[in-house]
Structures are given as C-alpha cells and as structure tokens.
Amino acid sequence: MVADVPKIRFKGFSDDWEQRKLGEITESYSGGTPTAGKKEYYDGDIPFIRSGEINSEKTELFITDEGLNSSSAKMVKKGDILYALYGATSGEVSISKLKGAINQAILAIQPHQNYDSQFLMQWLRKSKENIIGTYLQGGQGNLSGNIVKELIIDVPTHEEQKEIGAYLKNIDHLITLHERKRDETIELKKYMLQKMFPQKGKKIPEIRFAGFSGDWEQRKLSEIADKVTEKNKRNEFSEPFTNSAEHGIIMQKDYFDREVVNQENLDGYYIVRKNDFVYNPRISVTAPVGPINRNRLGKIGVMSPLYTVFRTHGIDHLYLEFYYKTTGWHRFMELNGDSGARFDRFTISSSKFMEMPIPLPNVDEQRKIGGYFESLDYLITLHQRKSDELKEVKKFMLQNMFPKKG
C-alpha cells in the first residue's frame, strides 16, 4: 500500500513510501531464562542481556553454554534490533552493542535484505508513545511479539532508509558524546574537590597549581564574613529567593512554579545582595547538613529568616563557593549542631555557625582554584546544553523525516 511522504527528505529521493507490516520485512524471536539456582547455568562467558540493558555495552549477568542450551534463551549478535516487551521498559528499543543471550522480555528483530536496521529502530523509537498508548492501558503491562510484528510501518527505498538511519544515528552519537563528556567532567570536578582542599588535619591539599607552596591558614567564618541582619523593613524588595541543594539560589516562583509567600509579608525577610551566601538548614541526601550557595542571580532579593545569610570580605567568593561544594565543613556542623526535632532540618546557632573554620591559601591561589572549578562548571553546562539542543533537533527531525501517520 502506498504511504504518505514526509515533509523533509534528502535530495535525490522522490519515490513513494510503502506501508508494510513489521513482521513482513523482518524475522523476530524472544528468549528465555535459565533455571535460577542452578550454578552450572550461571557465571559463564555468555552475556545475558535483560530488558534494562538493551542499550548498554555490558551486562551484569553471564550464563554458560549449558544454561543457554537448557533453556529458551536465544543468542543475538551485535547490530540486531532489541525491543523490550515487558514492564517499565516496554517499548524501549536499541541496536545491540553485544553478542549475547536474551530473555523472554526482549524481542530480537533482524531485518530482511533491503531493510535498514537503524531506520527500523529509529521508527520504533519514534513510535513508542503511540504503541504504548494503543496497546497498553495507562502505559502499564506487557507487549507481545505478535503485537510488534503486526505494526504498520511506512518505508522508503533501501537507499533512503540508509540515509535516514545514518543521519539519526549520527545525532544519537553526538548526544551520547556530549553526555559522556558532561559525566566525565562531573566526575573530574568531584575528584578535584576532594584533592584541591586540605583533608582533615592537613595544612596543604594533595593537588596544587604550580608556583604555590607553604601551609594554608585557617580562619573563622566570622573573620572573613559578616552575618546579614538587614531586614526588608520598607518592602523595598519584592522578589523572594529560595536556596536549593540542586539548583542553588533561585527565584522562589521559578522553583515552586509560584510564589509561596504573600508579597505583603516580606518585611521580616533578610535582604540578599549580589554574591551574598545563604545557608539553608533543610537537609537532604545530597546536602546532609544543608546546602550553602552564593547569589549568582545578578539581582537583589529577599530570603526567609529561617535561612542564614552572610556577606564575605577579604576572600575570593568563587573559592569559598566551591569550598562549600566539598564535605570539608560538614564535620564542624555535625559536632556543633543537630537535626533537631524536625528530621528534615539541621539546627545550629548563628553564633556557632559563624565560628566555622575555613581553610585559606593566599588570594592568588584562591582565585586560581575558584577559576578552575568555574571553568569545569562551564564545560558541564556547555555539554548539557549541546545535548539538549541535539535532542530537540532529533525530535523535530523524527516528526518531519517520517510520514505523519508512520
């Protein structure tokens, strides 16, 4: 049956697309699982691919030849299309990066000659929401191999399939590349935060920039910062901030999708100026004693008196900001405060908080350290932005490089 044609096509292609059932242009089969508890079936050399691992280059489980031959498990090769049928991963699809065995939750799909694996996989990925919405009530439940085989797909000539498949594969590769670079930079930052500030009982860090030597000093926070007590008495400022462990200091309306306080009740709030630091006593998995962040918004706002606000002097604010991304100050908090009556809030007096010891190199080394971590954050943001942009490009192209009904 002749199908519609897409809005966007590569030059040189003008032939009609055809509608075919997926089962007419591919061979497919699912696998099985060797009997659990039989040691002779496991700890072998054959990767055992489960539905959550279809896009991975490694598996956590391996089976033996005996386990393969004594069960319904089936072998797949690199390049086969793997389609997840069961549970939370239903509708997920990928090109196998492994030669291994599959269980019953996966359908292996092998295209006939003149049908391109990348093209078919990308179509299945694009169609996931429609497939789930059509065959699974509320997105819950399992698909079956028969359902997948009966899917109607619009296909162009083999040459056009290859062009489309290669183009979308390249976008996927670029997305993966930027995500990998982002993750590598996040790990580098995490490592360097541990190594570029002195560990407990030490006066110098393990890693320093060339040209710097000598012991670091230690100062109380009260010696390099003043606690902010300035209240918004005349309601001069009307934008309430909040301090999030994940997002830093952010407009309250952006964080909650609305302002959670009445504009008329801001007179008791602290005024937070540019580069002021704010301690939030609310604890979380990522901030076990509460987060401390710097006001990077470039504007003045107000913060609830439940927070501690302080303004620095004689210290590089970038250096201090990244020191608070380490765990070096957590021990002081744990020794001088507690989680209080509320399990989600840390309690420490303001006077004790301002006694917090801060390790300090000279100002040039402070700037070097702060600038280094700022550059890592820039790279993390850059790779995330590139990844997001590419995902939007791919989303647009998927909508326009396949017929609307395909």
Side-chain angles (χ1 to χ4, degrees):
M1 184 183 299
V2 175
D4 293 333
V5 295
K7 289 183 179 179
I8 296 176
R9 301 181 78 172
F10 289 101
K11 288 183 178 180
F13 296 105
S14 58
D15 292 340
D16 291 336
W17 288 40
E18 294 183 339
Q19 287 190 338
R20 304 292 299 272
K21 287 184 180 180
L22 191 63
E24 294 174 347
I25 59 176
T26 64
E27 298 297 327
S28 59
Y29 55 87
S30 57
T33 303
T35 303
K38 288 203 171 187
K39 292 184 178 179
E40 63 269 27
Y41 291 172
Y42 291 90
D43 296 326
D45 298 320
I46 302 172
F48 189 60
I49 306 166
R50 291 164 292 179
S51 57
E53 300 169 325
I54 61 173
N55 197 35
S56 178
E57 296 180 358
K58 59 183 179 181
T59 64
E60 296 180 354
L61 195 61
F62 293 81
I63 63 173
T64 62
D65 287 326
E66 186 177 357
L68 176 68
N69 296 328
S70 300
S71 70
S72 301
K74 298 287 192 304
M75 290 294 293
V76 296
K77 61 183 183 297
K78 291 181 182 180
D80 284 353
I81 300 170
L82 301 185
Y83 193 89
L85 299 172
Y86 292 1
T89 57
S90 292
E92 295 291 328
V93 61
S94 185
I95 299 291
S96 179
K97 298 178 177 65
L98 292 167
K99 178 183 178 183
I102 56 170
N103 65 14
Q104 61 274 19
I106 298 172
L107 184 72
I109 302 172
Q110 297 169 337
H112 292 167
Q113 189 175 4
N114 293 329
Y115 292 95
D116 184 71
S117 293
Q118 272 292 333
F119 174 86
L120 297 179
M121 186 276 291
Q122 296 288 354
W123 180 85
L124 285 165
R125 187 173 285 173
K126 164 192 175 291
S127 304
K128 176 185 174 182
E129 289 185 12
N130 288 337
I131 295 168
I132 296 297
T134 301
Y135 295 101
L136 299 184
Q137 287 289 337
Q140 300 295 318
N142 302 326
L143 295 168
S144 71
N146 286 334
I147 288 173
V148 178
K149 292 174 189 177
E150 290 295 311
L151 295 173
I152 304 296
I153 177 172
D154 296 336
V155 288
T157 64
H158 187 219
E159 289 303 315
E160 191 169 2
Q161 289 175 45
K162 289 195 294 183
E163 289 280 356
I164 294 170
Y167 173 77
L168 295 172
K169 179 183 179 181
N170 185 55
I171 294 181
D172 283 343
H173 172 74
L174 291 173
I175 291 170
T176 300
L177 180 65
H178 283 294
E179 288 180 342
R180 184 180 297 130
K181 289 290 186 182
R182 175 203 62 199
D183 293 344
E184 288 173 352
T185 309
I186 289 171
E187 286 303 308
L188 174 62
K189 179 185 173 184
K190 182 179 177 182
Y191 176 81
M192 296 304 280
L193 282 170
Q194 294 173 339
K195 300 296 183 180
M196 294 189 73
F197 294 90
Q199 297 298 304
K200 182 182 177 183
K202 304 291 184 181
K203 293 185 177 181
I204 59 172
E206 292 183 39
I207 296 177
R208 295 179 87 169
F209 287 105
F212 296 105
S213 60
D215 291 347
W216 287 27
E217 297 182 24
Q218 186 167 281
R219 299 279 185 86
K220 291 181 179 180
L221 181 59
S222 60
E223 296 179 283
I224 59 165
D226 299 313
K227 184 178 183 300
V228 171
T229 57
E230 181 185 16
K231 295 287 186 71
N232 191 35
K233 291 181 179 179
R234 295 186 298 276
N235 278 318
E236 182 180 357
F237 302 102
S238 59
E239 294 184 308
F241 295 165
T242 193
N243 183 13
S244 157
E246 181 181 0
H247 302 290
I249 295 175
I250 187 172
M251 302 292 296
Q252 192 181 89
K253 62 185 178 184
D254 293 335
Y255 186 72
F256 294 104
D257 291 326
R258 62 185 176 87
E259 289 184 356
V260 296
V261 295
N262 190 317
Q263 291 283 336
E264 297 176 359
N265 297 330
L266 298 179
D267 56 332
Y269 276 45
Y270 292 127
I271 296 175
V272 181
R273 300 187 182 277
K274 297 174 185 179
N275 295 318
D276 281 354
F277 286 79
V278 179
Y279 168 61
N280 179 0
R282 186 175 292 277
I283 62 178
S284 64
V285 173
T286 56
V289 295
I292 298 177
N293 286 300
R294 177 171 66 91
N295 177 14
R296 285 174 165 259
L297 294 175
K299 61 174 68 177
I300 301 172
V302 295
M303 192 74 79
S304 164
L306 293 173
Y307 298 80
T308 299
V309 182
F310 57 95
R311 190 168 299 148
T312 61
H313 51 78
I315 185 173
D316 183 74
H317 58 250
L318 272 177
Y319 167 82
L320 186 61
E321 178 179 8
F322 286 109
Y323 172 68
Y324 283 127
K325 303 300 181 186
T326 75
T327 59
W329 56 284
H330 289 189
R331 183 64 176 161
F332 169 83
M333 298 290 285
E334 292 163 352
L335 291 173
N336 292 281
D338 59 61
S339 58
R342 290 186 55 174
F343 69 91
D344 64 342
R345 192 176 297 279
F346 195 89
T347 303
I348 187 170
S349 69
S350 294
S351 58
K352 183 58 70 174
F353 179 87
M354 295 303 292
E355 292 179 10
M356 182 189 300
I358 306 296
L360 282 182
N362 66 48
V363 69
D364 289 336
E365 192 169 3
Q366 290 176 37
R367 289 173 181 154
K368 195 82 171 178
I369 293 169
Y372 172 72
F373 285 109
E374 180 83 334
S375 69
L376 293 183
D377 275 355
Y378 171 79
L379 288 174
I380 292 167
T381 301
L382 178 66
H383 288 301
Q384 182 62 59
R385 185 181 299 124
K386 290 289 187 182
S387 173
D388 292 342
E389 289 172 354
L390 286 164
K391 287 177 181 177
E392 286 301 310
V393 169
K394 183 178 179 187
K395 181 180 178 181
F396 175 82
M397 297 306 283
L398 284 172
Q399 292 171 345
N400 289 279
M401 292 183 77
F402 292 88
K404 281 295 182 184
K405 295 179 181 179

